[in-house]
Amino acid sequence: MNYLSKICRTTQPYMAGEQPQDKKYVKLNTNENPYPPCNGVAEYIKNFDSARLKLYPDSDNKALAAKIAKKHGLSIENVFIGNGSDEVLAMCFPTFFDKDGDGVAYCDITYSFYKVWAKAYEIPSVIIPLADDFKFDVSEFKQSKCQGMIICNPNAPTGLIVNRLDLISIIEANPEKLIIIDEAYADFCNCSMANYVSKYPNLLIVRTFSKSYSLAGARCGYAIGDETLIRGLKTMKNAFNSYTVNSLTEGIAIKALEDVKYFSSVVDNVIATRDEYADELRKLGFDVLPSSANFLFATHETKPASEIYYQLKEKGVLVRHFNLPRIDNWLRITVGSPDEMKVLLDRLRAIVNA
Ligand SMILES: *Cc1c(COP(=O)(O)O)cnc(C)c1O
């Protein structure tokens, strides 16, 4: 007897980057931030009254929602908070897309979770290929037949961006479609479209504390958009699990938002290291796409990416290699601390010069 549903039996889950325990690696494979969260977070955890855990958290996380609203010049009715932006994005599928609708459009090379969610919720996918140089096809998105679309900007794993005017032209050309922008990496390029949420009722921005705020382990992400969109997300959330964000995490995220100075310095450091090591990789014979994120996407002129991946792993450095069409000769390398990047460069030099 097979007790699993048909959908479960046929679902291909998302494959996250490995988190191996066999030895200590220089870990540059899942786009985590190399710097710790701000001191305010450490203080908050130290002083957290564990008795608070006997109570449920506020199901709308209003204290955090107020902070997020303030940051973006919105009100709390424009904010939806979830257990990581993965949960927020997952919730978008049943909230905004129909099984028998025109489907959700996204790029062929982008965050691979979109396809997993579309399948899990049985929503049709409209796949729009990137150009040969991985550039985004604005006109295809403008005219595609779909119920809505998800644009990852900057895109993962390429690190390339769609410029603001192109995004606006897509949003304005499609007032009847929902445009979701996944801004997991937008803090690393100052290219957020958050300011346009109050202007366009068909724009939903999804953001996370995992990357630029160094809080991947705390699990917190959010969406901002028109009240009606947010109300829809809350309806679906409350049909699934009312308490997705725990009270400790809520307080942690508030503290992280308060220390604007530390946040900027972390982001600036990551950007400086990124740009420095993009050049170093180019000197070793890599073609490196101009990155607007906290990772580099690179291919070597002679050495196959899979070989570099395995040899780096043997030498204690983990990067991400996707065994997928069009990008199987590329590596995605998270920008680590300068010390980690020195180790990476040293190991890469030995591999490509061998
Ligand atoms: C990391 C990432 C997310 C998910 O982050 P959470 O940790 O779930 O907040 C979402 N989208 C993209 C493109 C990402 O790279």
Side-chain angles (χ1 to χ4, degrees):
M1 190 58 215
N2 190 335
Y3 297 102
L4 304 180
S5 67
K6 283 189 213 108
I7 196 78
C8 179
R9 275 180 261 164
T10 55
T11 286
Q12 302 261 11
Y14 174 71
M15 298 280 285
E18 51 200 321
Q19 302 278 9
Q21 313 290 337
D22 60 328
K23 63 176 177 189
K24 197 148 167 46
Y25 287 93
V26 171
K27 205 172 160 303
L28 306 175
N29 69 330
T30 49
N31 296 345
E32 288 139 328
N33 198 308
Y35 302 103
C38 67
N39 283 335
V41 167
E43 283 293 307
Y44 176 81
I45 294 171
K46 219 181 332 169
N47 298 326
F48 185 82
D49 177 8
S50 63
R52 273 183 62 192
L53 294 177
K54 68 187 179 180
L55 303 177
Y56 283 107
D58 168 29
S59 82
D60 286 333
N61 302 106
K62 282 191 241 7
L64 175 57
K67 281 272 178 200
I68 293 169
K70 184 151 174 263
K71 171 184 158 91
H72 295 295
L74 299 165
S75 61
I76 62 170
E77 288 79 24
N78 300 113
V79 180
F80 175 79
I81 303 173
N83 189 284
S85 61
D86 278 343
E87 187 186 72
V88 175
L89 288 161
M91 212 66 78
C92 286
F93 281 74
T95 305
F96 302 118
F97 306 118
D98 294 299
K99 288 185 189 183
D100 56 357
D102 287 333
V104 50
Y106 52 90
C107 298
D108 62 338
I109 301 166
T110 188
Y111 190 37
S112 49
F113 226 145
Y114 307 148
K115 186 192 239 169
V116 176
W117 287 313
K119 288 215 166 129
Y121 289 103
E122 302 179 87
I123 288 151
S125 286
V126 178
I127 310 248
I128 300 180
L130 295 177
D132 287 341
D133 57 1
F134 301 133
K135 288 240 171 66
F136 183 90
D137 193 332
V138 178
S139 64
E140 272 305 311
F141 270 87
K142 257 169 123 160
Q143 51 186 286
S144 108
K145 187 167 143 64
C146 59
Q147 189 169 10
M149 51 190 92
I150 302 189
I151 299 169
C152 186
N153 196 47
N155 198 13
T158 63
L160 300 180
I161 45 168
V162 189
N163 73 51
R164 185 162 290 151
L165 291 179
D166 284 334
L167 287 173
I168 290 172
S169 76
I170 294 169
I171 296 163
E172 291 191 344
N174 291 285
E176 78 294 355
K177 292 175 192 154
L178 179 66
I179 319 293
I180 300 173
I181 304 185
D182 180 351
E183 292 195 346
Y185 301 104
D187 289 325
F188 299 105
C189 60
N190 221 336
C191 58
S192 177
M193 290 289 285
N195 285 343
Y196 293 87
V197 156
S198 44
K199 181 163 182 198
Y200 298 115
N202 62 330
L203 173 63
L204 187 82
I205 306 271
V206 179
R207 301 177 58 94
T208 177
F209 287 90
S210 295
K211 315 284 168 45
S212 52
Y213 286 94
S214 313
L215 287 172
R219 311 304 305 126
C220 195
Y222 62 92
I224 48 175
D226 190 74
E227 263 186 72
T228 54
L229 304 176
I230 299 303
R231 235 181 289 130
L233 282 167
K234 287 183 182 169
T235 299
M236 291 316 289
K237 179 187 93 147
N238 289 317
F240 159 74
N241 174 7
S242 298
Y243 306 106
T244 53
V245 179
N246 69 73
S247 32
L248 184 57
T249 287
E250 181 178 11
I252 286 172
I254 289 171
K255 291 295 168 187
L257 283 176
E258 282 172 354
D259 200 338
V260 178
K261 219 166 129 195
Y262 180 79
F263 170 76
S264 307
S265 75
V266 164
V267 167
D268 288 349
N269 283 337
V270 170
I271 291 172
T273 308
R274 172 189 81 199
D275 294 346
E276 179 186 344
Y277 280 87
D279 285 339
E280 293 295 337
L281 293 186
R282 289 183 186 114
K283 286 182 212 156
L284 289 185
F286 282 91
D287 180 6
V288 185
L289 296 187
S291 173
S292 292
N294 68 338
F295 53 81
L296 296 167
F297 200 53
T299 185
H300 193 258
E301 55 192 2
T302 53
K303 280 263 176 199
S306 58
E307 231 171 87
I308 300 175
Y309 162 80
Y310 283 113
Q311 290 190 34
L312 274 177
K313 190 172 175 184
E314 244 164 58
K315 294 174 192 292
V317 180
L318 270 186
V319 299
R320 192 85 196 261
H321 174 245
F322 297 93
N323 216 342
L324 293 172
R326 298 187 67 189
I327 56 170
D328 59 352
N329 201 28
W330 290 76
L331 295 172
R332 191 196 68 191
I333 304 169
T334 303
V335 176
S337 67
D339 283 348
E340 290 174 317
M341 297 307 274
K342 266 186 218 117
V343 174
L344 166 81
L345 195 66
D346 188 62
R347 304 294 186 271
L348 278 178
R349 197 173 282 125
I351 292 167
V352 302
N353 292 334

PDB file of all heavy atoms in Angstrom, residues 30-31 83-87 89 111 114 117 152 154 156 182 184-185 207-211 216 219-221 295 332, ligand 1:
ATOM      1  N   THR A  30      26.116  28.569  -0.279  1.00  0.00           N
ATOM      2  CA  THR A  30      24.681  28.849  -0.093  1.00  0.00           C
ATOM      3  C   THR A  30      24.380  30.337   0.150  1.00  0.00           C
ATOM      4  O   THR A  30      23.311  30.677   0.673  1.00  0.00           O
ATOM      5  CB  THR A  30      24.068  28.009   1.048  1.00  0.00           C
ATOM      6  OG1 THR A  30      24.908  28.116   2.193  1.00  0.00           O
ATOM      7  CG2 THR A  30      23.949  26.542   0.674  1.00  0.00           C
ATOM      8  N   ASN A  31      25.315  31.187  -0.246  1.00  0.00           N
ATOM      9  CA  ASN A  31      25.092  32.640  -0.203  1.00  0.00           C
ATOM     10  C   ASN A  31      24.774  33.187   1.183  1.00  0.00           C
ATOM     11  O   ASN A  31      24.058  34.192   1.319  1.00  0.00           O
ATOM     12  CB  ASN A  31      23.999  33.046  -1.211  1.00  0.00           C
ATOM     13  CG  ASN A  31      24.433  32.753  -2.630  1.00  0.00           C
ATOM     14  OD1 ASN A  31      25.613  32.526  -2.879  1.00  0.00           O
ATOM     15  ND2 ASN A  31      23.493  32.746  -3.549  1.00  0.00           N
ATOM     16  N   ASN A  83       8.236  32.753   7.621  1.00  0.00           N
ATOM     17  CA  ASN A  83       9.372  31.983   8.107  1.00  0.00           C
ATOM     18  C   ASN A  83      10.389  31.826   6.970  1.00  0.00           C
ATOM     19  O   ASN A  83      10.453  30.805   6.287  1.00  0.00           O
ATOM     20  CB  ASN A  83       8.849  30.619   8.583  1.00  0.00           C
ATOM     21  CG  ASN A  83       9.904  29.822   9.303  1.00  0.00           C
ATOM     22  OD1 ASN A  83      10.788  29.260   8.678  1.00  0.00           O
ATOM     23  ND2 ASN A  83       9.819  29.761  10.601  1.00  0.00           N
ATOM     24  N   GLY A  84      11.135  32.883   6.736  1.00  0.00           N
ATOM     25  CA  GLY A  84      12.025  32.925   5.581  1.00  0.00           C
ATOM     26  C   GLY A  84      11.239  33.376   4.361  1.00  0.00           C
ATOM     27  O   GLY A  84      10.018  33.213   4.302  1.00  0.00           O
ATOM     28  N   SER A  85      11.936  33.973   3.393  1.00  0.00           N
ATOM     29  CA  SER A  85      11.201  34.398   2.196  1.00  0.00           C
ATOM     30  C   SER A  85      10.771  33.187   1.379  1.00  0.00           C
ATOM     31  O   SER A  85       9.849  33.275   0.578  1.00  0.00           O
ATOM     32  CB  SER A  85      11.998  35.397   1.363  1.00  0.00           C
ATOM     33  OG  SER A  85      13.191  34.860   0.915  1.00  0.00           O
ATOM     34  N   ASP A  86      11.416  32.049   1.602  1.00  0.00           N
ATOM     35  CA  ASP A  86      10.938  30.831   0.929  1.00  0.00           C
ATOM     36  C   ASP A  86       9.486  30.548   1.286  1.00  0.00           C
ATOM     37  O   ASP A  86       8.684  30.168   0.434  1.00  0.00           O
ATOM     38  CB  ASP A  86      11.789  29.610   1.329  1.00  0.00           C
ATOM     39  CG  ASP A  86      13.082  29.531   0.523  1.00  0.00           C
ATOM     40  OD1 ASP A  86      13.180  30.197  -0.524  1.00  0.00           O
ATOM     41  OD2 ASP A  86      13.992  28.797   0.939  1.00  0.00           O
ATOM     42  N   GLU A  87       9.147  30.737   2.548  1.00  0.00           N
ATOM     43  CA  GLU A  87       7.759  30.488   2.937  1.00  0.00           C
ATOM     44  C   GLU A  87       6.831  31.542   2.334  1.00  0.00           C
ATOM     45  O   GLU A  87       5.725  31.221   1.874  1.00  0.00           O
ATOM     46  CB  GLU A  87       7.617  30.489   4.460  1.00  0.00           C
ATOM     47  CG  GLU A  87       6.223  30.057   4.865  1.00  0.00           C
ATOM     48  CD  GLU A  87       6.009  30.176   6.352  1.00  0.00           C
ATOM     49  OE1 GLU A  87       5.898  31.315   6.844  1.00  0.00           O
ATOM     50  OE2 GLU A  87       5.977  29.136   7.020  1.00  0.00           O
ATOM     51  N   LEU A  89       7.282  33.180  -0.450  1.00  0.00           N
ATOM     52  CA  LEU A  89       7.147  32.865  -1.878  1.00  0.00           C
ATOM     53  C   LEU A  89       6.229  31.660  -2.083  1.00  0.00           C
ATOM     54  O   LEU A  89       5.371  31.654  -2.967  1.00  0.00           O
ATOM     55  CB  LEU A  89       8.524  32.591  -2.492  1.00  0.00           C
ATOM     56  CG  LEU A  89       9.419  33.839  -2.673  1.00  0.00           C
ATOM     57  CD1 LEU A  89      10.883  33.436  -2.838  1.00  0.00           C
ATOM     58  CD2 LEU A  89       8.957  34.664  -3.862  1.00  0.00           C
ATOM     59  N   TYR A 111      15.962  31.234  -9.704  1.00  0.00           N
ATOM     60  CA  TYR A 111      15.866  30.473  -8.456  1.00  0.00           C
ATOM     61  C   TYR A 111      15.039  29.216  -8.729  1.00  0.00           C
ATOM     62  O   TYR A 111      13.869  29.312  -9.127  1.00  0.00           O
ATOM     63  CB  TYR A 111      15.196  31.354  -7.415  1.00  0.00           C
ATOM     64  CG  TYR A 111      15.216  30.821  -6.000  1.00  0.00           C
ATOM     65  CD1 TYR A 111      16.315  30.134  -5.494  1.00  0.00           C
ATOM     66  CD2 TYR A 111      14.129  31.030  -5.155  1.00  0.00           C
ATOM     67  CE1 TYR A 111      16.330  29.683  -4.180  1.00  0.00           C
ATOM     68  CE2 TYR A 111      14.139  30.591  -3.841  1.00  0.00           C
ATOM     69  CZ  TYR A 111      15.244  29.910  -3.370  1.00  0.00           C
ATOM     70  OH  TYR A 111      15.255  29.468  -2.069  1.00  0.00           O
ATOM     71  N   TYR A 114      11.091  28.160  -7.754  1.00  0.00           N
ATOM     72  CA  TYR A 114       9.817  28.583  -8.367  1.00  0.00           C
ATOM     73  C   TYR A 114       9.139  27.406  -9.065  1.00  0.00           C
ATOM     74  O   TYR A 114       7.933  27.212  -8.971  1.00  0.00           O
ATOM     75  CB  TYR A 114      10.018  29.727  -9.369  1.00  0.00           C
ATOM     76  CG  TYR A 114      10.758  30.933  -8.827  1.00  0.00           C
ATOM     77  CD1 TYR A 114      11.569  31.712  -9.656  1.00  0.00           C
ATOM     78  CD2 TYR A 114      10.661  31.298  -7.489  1.00  0.00           C
ATOM     79  CE1 TYR A 114      12.251  32.814  -9.168  1.00  0.00           C
ATOM     80  CE2 TYR A 114      11.346  32.403  -6.999  1.00  0.00           C
ATOM     81  CZ  TYR A 114      12.145  33.153  -7.841  1.00  0.00           C
ATOM     82  OH  TYR A 114      12.828  34.243  -7.358  1.00  0.00           O
ATOM     83  N   TRP A 117       7.625  24.926  -6.507  1.00  0.00           N
ATOM     84  CA  TRP A 117       6.339  25.375  -5.945  1.00  0.00           C
ATOM     85  C   TRP A 117       5.225  25.277  -6.982  1.00  0.00           C
ATOM     86  O   TRP A 117       4.110  24.861  -6.670  1.00  0.00           O
ATOM     87  CB  TRP A 117       6.445  26.814  -5.420  1.00  0.00           C
ATOM     88  CG  TRP A 117       7.231  26.946  -4.156  1.00  0.00           C
ATOM     89  CD1 TRP A 117       7.115  26.169  -3.035  1.00  0.00           C
ATOM     90  CD2 TRP A 117       8.264  27.906  -3.879  1.00  0.00           C
ATOM     91  NE1 TRP A 117       8.010  26.596  -2.080  1.00  0.00           N
ATOM     92  CE2 TRP A 117       8.723  27.661  -2.562  1.00  0.00           C
ATOM     93  CE3 TRP A 117       8.835  28.950  -4.594  1.00  0.00           C
ATOM     94  CZ2 TRP A 117       9.730  28.420  -1.959  1.00  0.00           C
ATOM     95  CZ3 TRP A 117       9.823  29.707  -3.994  1.00  0.00           C
ATOM     96  CH2 TRP A 117      10.269  29.448  -2.697  1.00  0.00           C
ATOM     97  N   CYS A 152      13.304  37.371 -10.287  1.00  0.00           N
ATOM     98  CA  CYS A 152      14.314  37.397  -9.234  1.00  0.00           C
ATOM     99  C   CYS A 152      15.313  38.480  -9.624  1.00  0.00           C
ATOM    100  O   CYS A 152      15.952  38.390 -10.671  1.00  0.00           O
ATOM    101  CB  CYS A 152      14.988  36.025  -9.172  1.00  0.00           C
ATOM    102  SG  CYS A 152      16.129  35.842  -7.810  1.00  0.00           S
ATOM    103  N   PRO A 154      18.387  41.098  -7.999  1.00  0.00           N
ATOM    104  CA  PRO A 154      19.238  40.452  -9.002  1.00  0.00           C
ATOM    105  C   PRO A 154      18.879  38.971  -9.157  1.00  0.00           C
ATOM    106  O   PRO A 154      18.430  38.352  -8.194  1.00  0.00           O
ATOM    107  CB  PRO A 154      20.651  40.589  -8.439  1.00  0.00           C
ATOM    108  CG  PRO A 154      20.571  41.617  -7.353  1.00  0.00           C
ATOM    109  CD  PRO A 154      19.182  41.658  -6.885  1.00  0.00           C
ATOM    110  N   ALA A 156      19.287  34.960  -9.511  1.00  0.00           N
ATOM    111  CA  ALA A 156      20.142  33.885  -9.027  1.00  0.00           C
ATOM    112  C   ALA A 156      20.031  32.757 -10.059  1.00  0.00           C
ATOM    113  O   ALA A 156      18.925  32.495 -10.533  1.00  0.00           O
ATOM    114  CB  ALA A 156      19.645  33.397  -7.677  1.00  0.00           C
ATOM    115  N   ASP A 182      11.423  39.001  -6.455  1.00  0.00           N
ATOM    116  CA  ASP A 182      12.163  38.365  -5.364  1.00  0.00           C
ATOM    117  C   ASP A 182      13.467  39.140  -5.193  1.00  0.00           C
ATOM    118  O   ASP A 182      14.379  39.040  -6.012  1.00  0.00           O
ATOM    119  CB  ASP A 182      12.412  36.893  -5.739  1.00  0.00           C
ATOM    120  CG  ASP A 182      13.177  36.125  -4.662  1.00  0.00           C
ATOM    121  OD1 ASP A 182      13.666  36.751  -3.703  1.00  0.00           O
ATOM    122  OD2 ASP A 182      13.290  34.888  -4.804  1.00  0.00           O
ATOM    123  N   ALA A 184      15.850  38.928  -2.854  1.00  0.00           N
ATOM    124  CA  ALA A 184      16.730  38.314  -1.860  1.00  0.00           C
ATOM    125  C   ALA A 184      18.114  38.982  -1.831  1.00  0.00           C
ATOM    126  O   ALA A 184      18.752  39.049  -0.786  1.00  0.00           O
ATOM    127  CB  ALA A 184      16.872  36.821  -2.124  1.00  0.00           C
ATOM    128  N   TYR A 185      18.553  39.484  -2.991  1.00  0.00           N
ATOM    129  CA  TYR A 185      19.913  40.041  -3.085  1.00  0.00           C
ATOM    130  C   TYR A 185      19.934  41.539  -3.379  1.00  0.00           C
ATOM    131  O   TYR A 185      20.987  42.100  -3.659  1.00  0.00           O
ATOM    132  CB  TYR A 185      20.697  39.287  -4.166  1.00  0.00           C
ATOM    133  CG  TYR A 185      20.780  37.811  -3.877  1.00  0.00           C
ATOM    134  CD1 TYR A 185      19.992  36.895  -4.561  1.00  0.00           C
ATOM    135  CD2 TYR A 185      21.625  37.329  -2.878  1.00  0.00           C
ATOM    136  CE1 TYR A 185      20.039  35.540  -4.272  1.00  0.00           C
ATOM    137  CE2 TYR A 185      21.688  35.983  -2.582  1.00  0.00           C
ATOM    138  CZ  TYR A 185      20.890  35.094  -3.275  1.00  0.00           C
ATOM    139  OH  TYR A 185      20.940  33.764  -2.975  1.00  0.00           O
ATOM    140  N   ARG A 207      11.280  40.028   0.260  1.00  0.00           N
ATOM    141  CA  ARG A 207      12.644  40.273   0.769  1.00  0.00           C
ATOM    142  C   ARG A 207      12.962  39.335   1.922  1.00  0.00           C
ATOM    143  O   ARG A 207      12.074  38.734   2.508  1.00  0.00           O
ATOM    144  CB  ARG A 207      12.776  41.740   1.211  1.00  0.00           C
ATOM    145  CG  ARG A 207      12.499  42.727   0.065  1.00  0.00           C
ATOM    146  CD  ARG A 207      12.570  44.162   0.548  1.00  0.00           C
ATOM    147  NE  ARG A 207      13.876  44.437   1.124  1.00  0.00           N
ATOM    148  CZ  ARG A 207      14.898  44.969   0.461  1.00  0.00           C
ATOM    149  NH1 ARG A 207      14.783  45.324  -0.774  1.00  0.00           N
ATOM    150  NH2 ARG A 207      16.045  45.181   1.064  1.00  0.00           N
ATOM    151  N   THR A 208      14.243  39.246   2.251  1.00  0.00           N
ATOM    152  CA  THR A 208      14.653  38.307   3.306  1.00  0.00           C
ATOM    153  C   THR A 208      15.708  38.913   4.226  1.00  0.00           C
ATOM    154  O   THR A 208      16.452  39.812   3.818  1.00  0.00           O
ATOM    155  CB  THR A 208      15.215  37.012   2.682  1.00  0.00           C
ATOM    156  OG1 THR A 208      15.660  36.154   3.730  1.00  0.00           O
ATOM    157  CG2 THR A 208      16.390  37.282   1.749  1.00  0.00           C
ATOM    158  N   PHE A 209      15.742  38.419   5.458  1.00  0.00           N
ATOM    159  CA  PHE A 209      16.807  38.781   6.396  1.00  0.00           C
ATOM    160  C   PHE A 209      18.001  37.828   6.273  1.00  0.00           C
ATOM    161  O   PHE A 209      19.000  37.989   6.962  1.00  0.00           O
ATOM    162  CB  PHE A 209      16.277  38.737   7.840  1.00  0.00           C
ATOM    163  CG  PHE A 209      15.354  39.875   8.179  1.00  0.00           C
ATOM    164  CD1 PHE A 209      13.989  39.766   7.989  1.00  0.00           C
ATOM    165  CD2 PHE A 209      15.870  41.062   8.678  1.00  0.00           C
ATOM    166  CE1 PHE A 209      13.141  40.819   8.290  1.00  0.00           C
ATOM    167  CE2 PHE A 209      15.032  42.123   8.990  1.00  0.00           C
ATOM    168  CZ  PHE A 209      13.661  42.008   8.794  1.00  0.00           C
ATOM    169  N   SER A 210      17.869  36.808   5.432  1.00  0.00           N
ATOM    170  CA  SER A 210      18.883  35.739   5.416  1.00  0.00           C
ATOM    171  C   SER A 210      20.226  36.165   4.852  1.00  0.00           C
ATOM    172  O   SER A 210      21.260  35.704   5.306  1.00  0.00           O
ATOM    173  CB  SER A 210      18.382  34.562   4.585  1.00  0.00           C
ATOM    174  OG  SER A 210      17.253  33.987   5.190  1.00  0.00           O
ATOM    175  N   LYS A 211      20.227  37.022   3.851  1.00  0.00           N
ATOM    176  CA  LYS A 211      21.465  37.299   3.137  1.00  0.00           C
ATOM    177  C   LYS A 211      22.118  38.582   3.650  1.00  0.00           C
ATOM    178  O   LYS A 211      23.129  38.541   4.318  1.00  0.00           O
ATOM    179  CB  LYS A 211      21.201  37.366   1.631  1.00  0.00           C
ATOM    180  CG  LYS A 211      20.299  36.225   1.089  1.00  0.00           C
ATOM    181  CD  LYS A 211      21.002  34.923   0.964  1.00  0.00           C
ATOM    182  CE  LYS A 211      20.183  33.674   0.714  1.00  0.00           C
ATOM    183  NZ  LYS A 211      19.132  33.638  -0.258  1.00  0.00           N
ATOM    184  N   ALA A 216      20.312  33.973   8.170  1.00  0.00           N
ATOM    185  CA  ALA A 216      19.738  32.804   7.481  1.00  0.00           C
ATOM    186  C   ALA A 216      19.174  31.788   8.475  1.00  0.00           C
ATOM    187  O   ALA A 216      18.154  31.148   8.228  1.00  0.00           O
ATOM    188  CB  ALA A 216      20.781  32.151   6.577  1.00  0.00           C
ATOM    189  N   ARG A 219      15.457  32.502  10.132  1.00  0.00           N
ATOM    190  CA  ARG A 219      14.304  32.278   9.260  1.00  0.00           C
ATOM    191  C   ARG A 219      13.284  33.408   9.330  1.00  0.00           C
ATOM    192  O   ARG A 219      12.301  33.345  10.061  1.00  0.00           O
ATOM    193  CB  ARG A 219      13.602  30.929   9.585  1.00  0.00           C
ATOM    194  CG  ARG A 219      14.491  29.721   9.687  1.00  0.00           C
ATOM    195  CD  ARG A 219      15.342  29.476   8.449  1.00  0.00           C
ATOM    196  NE  ARG A 219      14.563  29.392   7.231  1.00  0.00           N
ATOM    197  CZ  ARG A 219      14.809  30.148   6.135  1.00  0.00           C
ATOM    198  NH1 ARG A 219      15.810  31.000   6.110  1.00  0.00           N
ATOM    199  NH2 ARG A 219      14.067  30.016   5.068  1.00  0.00           N
ATOM    200  N   CYS A 220      13.528  34.432   8.565  1.00  0.00           N
ATOM    201  CA  CYS A 220      12.551  35.511   8.495  1.00  0.00           C
ATOM    202  C   CYS A 220      12.622  36.202   7.132  1.00  0.00           C
ATOM    203  O   CYS A 220      13.714  36.518   6.642  1.00  0.00           O
ATOM    204  CB  CYS A 220      12.795  36.533   9.611  1.00  0.00           C
ATOM    205  SG  CYS A 220      11.404  37.649   9.846  1.00  0.00           S
ATOM    206  N   GLY A 221      11.468  36.379   6.537  1.00  0.00           N
ATOM    207  CA  GLY A 221      11.374  37.091   5.268  1.00  0.00           C
ATOM    208  C   GLY A 221      10.038  37.808   5.230  1.00  0.00           C
ATOM    209  O   GLY A 221       9.201  37.619   6.114  1.00  0.00           O
ATOM    210  N   PHE A 295      27.315  36.945  -4.592  1.00  0.00           N
ATOM    211  CA  PHE A 295      27.985  35.764  -5.138  1.00  0.00           C
ATOM    212  C   PHE A 295      28.518  36.099  -6.524  1.00  0.00           C
ATOM    213  O   PHE A 295      28.114  37.109  -7.138  1.00  0.00           O
ATOM    214  CB  PHE A 295      27.015  34.575  -5.217  1.00  0.00           C
ATOM    215  CG  PHE A 295      25.736  34.883  -5.961  1.00  0.00           C
ATOM    216  CD1 PHE A 295      25.672  34.861  -7.342  1.00  0.00           C
ATOM    217  CD2 PHE A 295      24.582  35.245  -5.258  1.00  0.00           C
ATOM    218  CE1 PHE A 295      24.503  35.171  -8.013  1.00  0.00           C
ATOM    219  CE2 PHE A 295      23.404  35.563  -5.935  1.00  0.00           C
ATOM    220  CZ  PHE A 295      23.370  35.519  -7.318  1.00  0.00           C
ATOM    221  N   ARG A 332      28.773  28.869  -8.995  1.00  0.00           N
ATOM    222  CA  ARG A 332      28.295  30.020  -8.227  1.00  0.00           C
ATOM    223  C   ARG A 332      29.070  30.062  -6.922  1.00  0.00           C
ATOM    224  O   ARG A 332      29.032  29.101  -6.137  1.00  0.00           O
ATOM    225  CB  ARG A 332      26.796  29.906  -7.950  1.00  0.00           C
ATOM    226  CG  ARG A 332      26.201  31.213  -7.399  1.00  0.00           C
ATOM    227  CD  ARG A 332      24.855  31.003  -6.763  1.00  0.00           C
ATOM    228  NE  ARG A 332      24.991  30.226  -5.533  1.00  0.00           N
ATOM    229  CZ  ARG A 332      23.977  29.696  -4.860  1.00  0.00           C
ATOM    230  NH1 ARG A 332      22.750  29.857  -5.310  1.00  0.00           N
ATOM    231  NH2 ARG A 332      24.179  29.012  -3.756  1.00  0.00           N
TER     232      ARG A 332
HETATM  233  C1  LIG B   1      18.131  32.657  -0.412  1.00  0.00           C
HETATM  234  C2  LIG B   1      17.005  32.952  -1.334  1.00  0.00           C
HETATM  235  C3  LIG B   1      15.671  32.958  -0.912  1.00  0.00           C
HETATM  236  C4  LIG B   1      15.218  32.420   0.403  1.00  0.00           C
HETATM  237  O1  LIG B   1      15.700  32.924   1.485  1.00  0.00           O
HETATM  238  P1  LIG B   1      15.090  32.613   2.913  1.00  0.00           P
HETATM  239  O2  LIG B   1      16.264  32.161   3.698  1.00  0.00           O
HETATM  240  O3  LIG B   1      14.038  31.561   2.821  1.00  0.00           O
HETATM  241  O4  LIG B   1      14.554  33.917   3.332  1.00  0.00           O
HETATM  242  C5  LIG B   1      14.686  33.348  -1.787  1.00  0.00           C
HETATM  243  N1  LIG B   1      14.975  33.673  -3.056  1.00  0.00           N
HETATM  244  C6  LIG B   1      16.231  33.643  -3.509  1.00  0.00           C
HETATM  245  C7  LIG B   1      16.497  33.998  -4.912  1.00  0.00           C
HETATM  246  C8  LIG B   1      17.276  33.267  -2.675  1.00  0.00           C
HETATM  247  O5  LIG B   1      18.506  33.196  -3.143  1.00  0.00           O
END
